Amino acid sequence: MRSVSAAQSQLRNVSVRSHAEMIPPSTPITASVVPVVHSGEMSPSVAIGSGRRTVVLAICCSALFMVGLDNTIVNVGLPEIGRSLHTNVAGLQWTVAGYTIVLASLLLFSGAAADRIGRRTIFQVGLSLFTLGSWLCSLAPSLSWLIAFRVLQGVGGSMLNPAALGIITNTFITPSDRAKALGVWDGVSGLSMALGPVLGGILVGTVGWRGIFWANIPVGLAAISLTALLVPDSKSARGRKTDPVGQVLVIAMLGSLAYAIIQGPSAGWFSPEIVGFFLVSICALMILLRYEPRRADPLIDFRFFKSVPFSAANATAICAIAASAGFLFLTTLYLQDVRGFTALRAGLTLLPMPVMMAVSSPISGRILARGGARVPFVIAGAALTLSTAALSQLSTTSGPLFLIITYGLFGIGAGMVNVPISNGVMSGVPKSQAGVASGMNSSSRQLGQSLGVAIVGSVLAASLHGSMNGGFLHAAHAGWWIMAGCGYAVLVLGVVATTQWAKSTAVKVGADA
């Protein structure tokens, strides 16, 4: 769903405000981005013509479009992938999780690498890997190969948005121009969300599931060529030091957790294998908590979590994105495998969700600007809870009006929650660390994406007896209620995070940092 975006550079020779200052609260902040704050640029931004700046923005937005599209377009193709490659629910989970886990694990590392090595260089490498991965996915002869190539896509995808946003912030020098550019960036993210189900339905319905990966290839090839010709390079005067130990620990923690959750239903929750992977995940987290605070440039700065609004924003991001990922996973299976809809009809049926997201997100920003974050959080939590609770009552004959209302209501919740999350992330965080905080929130969102598919899919697999067509409705019942619980958690966290006590913790963290 929508991931967070943040402005990232402070130029040495020009006064540039942090992202929290540049973007008014009413602007929805999106994209799976990890901006990494640095002290200056090796090369000051070069003044270029408005026409070239527009082309640079278009190139950077193409990367965002591909990554955003990939989050929704693949979900529409899952039923067809399952039938073609003869895989079960766990196989479909890994098709999604293989991409999102790698993306979540490498976002912070890729952002730091872009600042250190050069943003254009990392952007080109990311484009190349993502395009190559897309092409290989379209040729995958089996599920194992498809998952492996999805991992390659994830490696490339983790490099794209951090580098692209750094390029934008060094191309658009003035705060007003940069704010306009980021507005376009946000709009492209929403467009990719809206087009994903429809474009996925068209491609699956006409050329098969492999076509959903072909869509990235011409865009990627064009972006690679245009980047070499037109995009200026930049890097930080003092890049953040790499943290290989922390990076390995993050990968071990997330990978082991996802494996245990996805394979638990088939291997047995209390089998030595699954218990062992859960223990590896817990141990990696414990070591990470001990190791990271001792580093001058930690991969994850745990000091920020002393701010209740910051902690709540990250927890809310995990819950909200997990609900969104689970919603897309179950809905595409229901529409195609239970109702027998074509992929195109399923995509069109899903449209109320992204449409209402696009409508409600700017409304959320206006409400936040006038009265604070509590009202958007409460509306978001209530909408997510009510819609998923209602969807637990799905039947084989649920009418179009019921689907439009529930999908639209879910879209309202998903759209309302993004802006207050972004606002909460900046609470108590020093301006010099705004990019690092945003990067941590981006990883939280991708973690939610991974966990949503893993948990909801595992509940479905554990309860599914017989064919998908005959057993889905009963097996998915618990999954819808888990998502309703996530929605309720969003509501509660939103109320807690906006109390005076919570705000005081943010002030204290800001003073101590």
Side-chain angles (χ1 to χ4, degrees):
M1 310 304 295
R2 289 181 126 194
S3 312
V4 76
S5 82
Q8 102 173 339
S9 301
Q10 271 82 36
L11 301 179
R12 172 174 289 173
N13 298 317
V14 285
S15 176
V16 177
R17 292 178 294 177
S18 71
H19 179 67
E21 295 176 297
M22 290 188 302
I23 306 301
S26 60
T27 303
I29 301 173
T30 60
S32 306
V33 180
V34 186
V36 180
V37 172
H38 42 74
S39 58
E41 300 302 317
M42 290 297 293
S43 302
S45 295
V46 178
I48 60 178
S50 60
R52 184 178 171 187
R53 288 203 305 269
T54 301
V55 174
V56 170
L57 178 61
I59 294 169
C60 292
C61 286
S62 69
L64 170 65
F65 185 83
M66 287 195 301
V67 173
L69 193 69
D70 207 74
N71 278 334
T72 54
I73 197 173
V74 172
N75 279 279
V76 177
L78 287 178
E80 181 65 26
I81 292 173
R83 289 187 289 268
S84 175
L85 300 182
H86 310 289
T87 185
N88 55 15
V89 174
L92 299 181
Q93 290 172 271
W94 280 116
T95 302
V96 177
Y99 174 79
T100 57
I101 290 171
V102 172
L103 198 62
S105 300
L106 296 181
L107 276 170
L108 290 165
F109 175 82
S110 296
D115 274 355
R116 193 178 189 88
I117 297 171
R119 299 181 185 98
R120 184 178 64 184
T121 300
I122 294 299
F123 187 63
Q124 288 178 302
V125 172
L127 282 169
S128 301
L129 291 177
F130 192 88
T131 305
L132 175 62
S134 299
W135 176 62
L136 292 174
C137 284
S138 71
L139 302 176
S142 66
L143 178 68
S144 298
W145 282 110
L146 177 60
I147 295 170
F149 297 145
R150 287 284 283 164
V151 168
L152 181 62
Q153 267 192 310
V155 174
S158 73
M159 300 179 184
L160 291 179
N161 288 350
L165 196 57
I167 291 169
I168 289 173
T169 56
N170 281 277
T171 301
F172 294 85
I173 300 174
T174 67
S176 60
D177 287 344
R178 191 175 301 178
K180 293 176 184 177
L182 290 171
V184 174
W185 174 273
D186 292 333
V188 169
S189 178
L191 181 63
S192 68
M193 281 288 300
L195 289 181
V198 178
L199 183 58
I202 293 173
L203 291 173
V204 173
T206 54
V207 297
W209 66 267
R210 298 180 189 275
I212 63 181
F213 297 105
W214 294 344
N216 295 324
I217 298 174
V219 179
L221 291 175
I224 292 170
S225 301
L226 291 172
T227 298
L229 293 173
L230 299 171
V231 174
D233 201 6
S234 64
K235 59 182 176 180
S236 172
R238 179 192 174 275
R240 289 170 60 80
K241 294 180 180 179
T242 57
D243 183 5
V245 174
Q247 185 61 69
V248 169
L249 289 171
V250 169
I251 294 173
M253 178 183 68
L254 298 183
S256 299
L257 179 63
Y259 183 91
I261 293 173
I262 292 174
Q263 299 299 133
S266 58
W269 291 109
F270 297 102
S271 65
E273 176 189 11
I274 300 303
V275 171
F277 274 99
F278 274 126
L279 289 176
V280 169
S281 182
I282 294 171
C283 289
L285 175 60
M286 293 293 99
I287 297 172
L288 197 67
L289 290 171
R290 296 272 297 182
Y291 174 76
E292 288 298 292
R294 301 178 181 179
R295 287 187 54 84
D297 286 329
L299 186 70
I300 301 173
D301 196 332
F302 288 106
R303 293 178 303 163
F304 298 155
F305 288 96
K306 295 178 182 178
S307 166
V308 173
F310 178 86
S311 298
N314 282 281
T316 300
I318 293 174
C319 292
I321 303 303
S324 298
F327 168 86
L328 286 174
F329 187 81
L330 291 185
T331 298
T332 52
L333 293 176
Y334 166 75
L335 292 176
Q336 295 183 60
D337 286 343
V338 178
R339 298 299 295 271
F341 289 3
T342 63
L344 175 57
R345 186 179 177 186
L348 292 172
T349 304
L350 270 169
L351 263 181
M353 191 271 285
V355 168
M356 293 311 298
M357 276 188 67
V359 170
S360 60
S361 186
I363 295 174
S364 173
R366 293 189 186 98
I367 296 173
L368 186 147
R370 293 176 182 175
R374 176 169 294 186
V375 172
F377 270 134
V378 170
I379 293 174
L384 293 173
T385 303
L386 293 174
S387 60
T388 47
L391 286 168
S392 70
Q393 305 304 310
L394 279 173
S395 70
T396 56
T397 58
S398 295
L401 182 61
F402 177 79
L403 297 181
I404 290 172
I405 292 174
T406 51
Y407 293 172
L409 185 60
F410 189 92
I412 291 173
M416 276 281 175
V417 79
N418 281 299
V419 179
I421 285 175
S422 300
N423 181 74
V425 167
M426 298 303 168
S427 296
V429 176
K431 294 173 184 178
S432 62
Q433 297 293 310
V436 178
S438 297
M440 293 164 67
N441 186 248
S442 295
S443 296
S444 295
R445 289 171 181 262
Q446 290 300 328
L447 176 60
Q449 180 95 356
S450 303
L451 292 179
V453 173
I455 294 172
V456 170
S458 293
V459 170
L460 176 67
S463 304
L464 185 64
H465 303 291
S467 67
M468 187 74 72
N469 180 272
F472 175 87
L473 292 175
H474 172 74
H477 191 265
W480 291 116
W481 280 106
I482 289 173
M483 285 182 270
C486 288
Y488 187 69
V490 169
L491 192 156
V492 173
L493 286 168
V495 172
V496 172
T498 52
T499 60
Q500 288 301 318
W501 164 74
K503 294 175 183 177
S504 68
T505 65
V507 172
K508 187 175 186 302
V509 169
D512 294 341

